[in-house]
Amino acid sequence: MIPISEYAKQTTTPKRIIRYLQREGIIQDPLGREDQLCLQFLERIWGKRELLRAQLSRLPLKARLSFLRTADLPAKWERYASSRYFNLPIGQKLEMNTLIEEIQTTFCFLLTRQQIKRLYKIRNRVQVAKHREKKRAYEQPG
C-alpha cells in the first residue's frame, strides 16, 4: 500500500488526474497493488494520439473545437472565462469587473491578484484567437 501523494512524485501522470480517479472511485488511497497496476497501464497509454483521436471523434465538431481551445486551462473558472469572452457577439464588450463578479458568485471564491492577472491573459489570448479567425475568414476566397 502506497499513498497517492507518494506515487504522484514518481509518475508522469499528473497528480490532479490521479486525484480525479480517486474522487470517481476508480482507485483508492492508499493505492493497493491493483490500483498501481491500473495507474501503470494508464501511464503507458497516456497521450497516445490514436486513443485521443478515437475519444475526440465521439464529440461533435463544435465541442471538439471548444475543448481544444481550452485544453490547457486546468481550472473550471478559467474555462468559463475563456468561453464567456469567446462567445461574445461581435462589438459587444465584457468588463473585467463584471466577469470577476460572475466568477466569484458562480464558483463561490474570491479571486486572488494572481488569478485576476490570469484572467487578463485569458482575455488577451481569446482576443488574438478571434482576430486570427476573422483575418482567416477575410483572406479566404469566397
Side-chain angles (χ1 to χ4, degrees):
M1 302 286 249
I2 181 172
I4 285 179
S5 55
E6 284 300 313
Y7 185 85
K9 291 176 186 174
Q10 54 187 276
T11 183
T12 57
T13 306
K15 186 177 182 176
R16 67 184 176 87
I17 298 302
I18 296 171
R19 288 289 179 199
Y20 169 80
L21 294 172
Q22 179 200 8
R23 280 193 310 275
E24 291 293 310
I26 297 169
I27 60 173
Q28 304 300 314
D29 190 10
L31 298 170
R33 183 70 189 133
E34 187 177 310
D35 294 331
Q36 289 178 44
L37 287 172
C38 288
L39 288 171
Q40 287 168 357
F41 175 73
L42 178 63
E43 195 171 322
R44 287 178 57 200
I45 64 169
W46 186 261
K48 300 289 183 188
R49 288 180 183 258
E50 249 345 276
L51 297 172
L52 291 171
R53 184 176 288 116
Q55 290 175 315
L56 289 173
S57 70
R58 297 173 64 184
L59 296 174
L61 182 60
K62 187 175 178 182
R64 266 184 272 174
L65 293 173
S66 175
F67 178 78
L68 292 174
R69 190 178 64 245
T70 61
D72 65 332
L73 302 175
K76 225 179 223 185
W77 65 268
E78 292 174 316
R79 293 189 297 271
Y80 174 84
S82 176
S83 293
R84 283 288 280 127
Y85 277 116
F86 197 82
N87 294 328
L88 272 179
I90 295 171
Q92 191 173 351
K93 296 196 183 291
L94 174 61
E95 295 291 327
M96 187 58 75
N97 287 336
T98 304
L99 181 62
I100 290 169
E101 285 180 31
E102 280 182 24
I103 290 171
Q104 291 179 156
T105 303
T106 305
F107 297 96
C108 301
F109 74 95
L110 295 176
L111 291 169
T112 65
R113 190 174 292 175
Q114 187 178 3
Q115 290 169 326
I116 292 172
K117 283 182 183 179
R118 180 79 173 129
L119 277 179
Y120 280 97
K121 286 182 182 178
I122 290 169
R123 180 183 69 177
N124 238 15
R125 190 173 93 172
V126 170
Q127 288 172 341
V128 168
K130 285 177 88 171
H131 175 73
R132 285 182 181 155
E133 199 174 88
K134 191 167 105 176
K135 189 176 176 183
R136 253 186 250 120
Y138 178 76
E139 289 175 351
Q140 286 181 348

